[in-house]
Amino acid sequence: MDSYEYSEMIKDLENKLDNISKIIDPVELEKRLKEIATFENDADFWNDPKNVAKIQKEKNVLTRKLKKYKDAKQALDDNKDMYELANMEEDEDTLNEVFSELPTLQDKIKALEIEVMLSGEHDANNAIVSIHPGAGGTESHDWSSILYRMYLRFAEKRGWKVETLDYQDGDEAGIKDVAFMVKGENAYGYLKADNGIHRLVRVSPFDSAGRRHTSFASVQVSPEIDDDIDIVIEDKDIRIDTYRASGAGGQHINKTESAVRITHIPTNVVVQCQNGRSQHQNKDTAFKMLKSKLYELELEARKAEEDGKEKSEIGWGHQIRSYVLFPYQQVKDVRSDKAYSQVDKILDGDLDDVIEDVLIAESSKV
């Protein structure tokens, strides 16, 4: 790297940091954090647990955002100062050190960009994820299980926790349906990028003739919504069915109709839960899942209206990503228009770059 290349890269990073500063306004962030500190010093503040939880959540988000901004700005300033000193003294070793630190600096500012992009009303929330196989029986059931493992590994690598809400084995392999809660920092903000149809092309392990098959699975992601968000669900609009839970769980789970399925008739949204120990517990969780999905559909409807799209274009029905294992190996996302060759790593949960490229591409359209 020469001085010209370095200067151009620094200029680009400065522009990005300047744009981020205009969006997040660090001065306002510090002002709001001081206001929150004042609230916390008032004994009456702690008498309202609901409000305390809301304010503490806001505080955590603002603190994290401000810290990332200050860390990135400090790193950029330090790098520039070291470059100027080394350049003036013609210190080649130090210049090389300065150049070698640039990738880390770029990563810091990219992380800050993503933090700014995940500033939606519910991006910081936990996520409720459902995976549904497309047509194709065993093939699509197996593909759904591969996707499920991919998200479990992704969550594990990010330090998030996963709670399975519903799991139904496929008849021969894979899964018929799965729903799970992902709990962690910005879980919904990240995983919402995976709403849609996922396509797999491979030589089927279930085809003795070794033919190539294409399989589809739908991934649906909703934010875990707070109790203070009012979603009205009328009794006449739902059908509740109970059934015996399948899979592991002991005699209690398999001998009683503890599993619950709720169908929302106007939207044809179906949710089910069987991981709880009682029908009552599963019913509560299923209603929570239903409210989250209906809320997500409402958000999609509003966005579609703002974008001038037809109502038929909303929901989870669009193909967003292809995973090709044969005759070549490639993952390609239609939103970012980027292709990735390390398919095995992606299927093992290395989704950060794929999702972040989608977030960046989507934000540039706004």
Side-chain angles (χ1 to χ4, degrees):
M1 180 182 293
D2 58 27
S3 294
Y4 175 76
E5 289 176 300
Y6 173 80
S7 297
E8 289 300 303
M9 290 181 74
I10 288 294
K11 195 184 297 181
D12 179 57
L13 293 176
E14 284 179 324
N15 286 337
K16 285 183 177 181
L17 200 57
D18 186 52
N19 290 335
I20 291 169
S21 177
K22 289 173 183 174
I23 295 169
I24 68 173
D25 197 342
V27 174
E28 282 299 312
L29 290 185
E30 290 186 328
K31 183 180 175 184
R32 178 57 179 162
L33 285 169
K34 285 179 181 176
E35 287 178 355
I36 292 174
T38 303
F39 296 154
E40 291 174 333
N41 288 330
D42 185 345
D44 291 337
F45 168 75
W46 301 98
N47 294 332
D48 185 351
K50 199 172 181 180
N51 186 53
V52 168
K54 182 180 176 183
I55 294 295
Q56 291 299 308
K57 183 178 177 182
E58 180 190 1
K59 177 185 175 181
N60 291 338
V61 171
L62 298 183
T63 301
R64 186 175 67 242
K65 198 177 292 184
L66 186 61
K67 184 179 186 305
K68 283 189 178 179
Y69 172 78
K70 286 183 172 181
D71 286 350
K73 188 175 186 311
Q74 187 66 55
L76 182 60
D77 289 343
D78 288 348
N79 189 275
K80 285 162 54 185
D81 289 344
M82 190 180 292
Y83 170 77
E84 288 177 12
L85 185 61
N87 198 40
M88 188 170 58
E89 296 180 354
E90 298 182 350
D91 183 344
E92 288 294 326
D93 289 340
T94 304
L95 280 174
N96 289 331
E97 186 182 338
V98 169
F99 296 155
S100 68
E101 287 177 356
L102 274 179
T104 303
L105 188 53
Q106 288 173 312
D107 288 343
K108 277 182 179 289
I109 292 178
K110 183 181 179 182
L112 183 58
E113 281 185 294
I114 299 300
E115 184 73 36
V116 171
M117 290 170 199
L118 299 180
S119 298
E121 187 179 359
H122 303 289
D123 284 347
N125 290 25
N126 297 329
I128 296 174
V129 184
S130 303
I131 302 174
H132 307 284
T138 302
E139 287 292 337
S140 58
H141 290 172
D142 189 54
W143 173 222
S144 295
S145 70
I146 293 170
L147 285 172
Y148 179 45
R149 180 186 179 278
M150 180 180 78
Y151 291 120
L152 292 182
R153 294 284 290 135
F154 177 58
E156 180 186 334
K157 289 177 181 184
R158 296 190 67 86
W160 294 342
K161 294 181 179 178
V162 175
E163 177 188 343
T164 302
L165 304 174
D166 183 65
Y167 186 99
Q168 297 182 56
D169 284 312
D171 293 331
E172 295 179 33
I175 53 178
K176 282 184 179 178
D177 266 312
V178 66
F180 52 100
M181 173 96 73
V182 182
K183 301 178 178 181
E185 180 183 302
N186 289 328
Y188 174 67
Y190 267 89
L191 289 168
K192 69 181 181 183
D194 273 37
N195 257 333
I197 305 296
H198 296 244
R199 171 177 171 260
L200 173 71
V201 180
R202 66 172 177 175
V203 172
S204 170
F206 306 101
D207 187 335
S208 57
R211 290 170 294 193
R212 186 173 64 180
H213 285 251
T214 300
S215 308
F216 298 90
S218 167
V219 175
Q220 301 176 1
V221 186
S222 310
E224 181 190 24
I225 59 173
D226 301 324
D227 292 335
D228 56 348
I229 294 177
D230 192 23
I231 303 291
V232 178
I233 300 176
E234 297 189 27
D235 290 343
K236 66 180 179 63
D237 289 336
I238 61 172
R239 183 176 71 249
I240 301 177
D241 300 303
T242 58
Y243 57 98
R244 290 186 183 182
S246 60
Q251 293 182 342
H252 167 76
I253 283 184
N254 291 313
K255 287 189 176 180
T256 63
E257 292 195 344
S258 58
V260 174
R261 180 186 299 111
I262 303 178
T263 304
H264 187 252
I265 298 166
T267 59
N268 202 32
V269 169
V270 179
V271 296
Q272 50 198 39
C273 181
Q274 63 170 317
N275 81 309
R277 292 191 58 81
S278 68
Q279 187 185 110
H280 177 75
Q281 190 178 8
N282 286 329
K283 186 176 178 182
D284 285 348
T285 302
F287 264 110
K288 189 172 191 176
M289 294 165 67
L290 179 60
K291 286 182 178 182
S292 292
K293 285 199 175 187
L294 293 179
Y295 186 73
E296 172 70 12
L297 281 178
E298 178 59 28
L299 293 179
E300 288 289 324
R302 288 181 201 167
K303 187 175 185 298
E305 192 175 332
E306 289 169 6
D307 295 343
K309 293 180 181 178
E310 295 293 326
K311 229 177 182 183
S312 60
E313 294 182 67
I314 69 170
W316 293 287
H318 305 293
Q319 185 175 307
I320 60 164
R321 194 177 299 147
S322 291
Y323 307 71
V324 180
L325 304 184
F326 183 85
Y328 54 90
Q329 293 214 338
Q330 183 186 86
V331 172
K332 185 164 186 182
D333 195 288
V334 300
R335 283 86 45 89
S336 65
D337 198 32
K338 288 198 174 184
Y340 311 86
S341 59
Q342 294 183 313
V343 179
D344 289 343
K345 285 192 173 183
I346 289 171
L347 291 176
D348 193 40
D350 282 356
L351 280 170
D352 293 77
D353 287 343
V354 181
I355 289 177
E356 288 171 5
D357 285 340
V358 170
L359 294 173
I360 291 169
E362 295 287 294
S363 69
S364 65
K365 296 176 186 177
V366 178

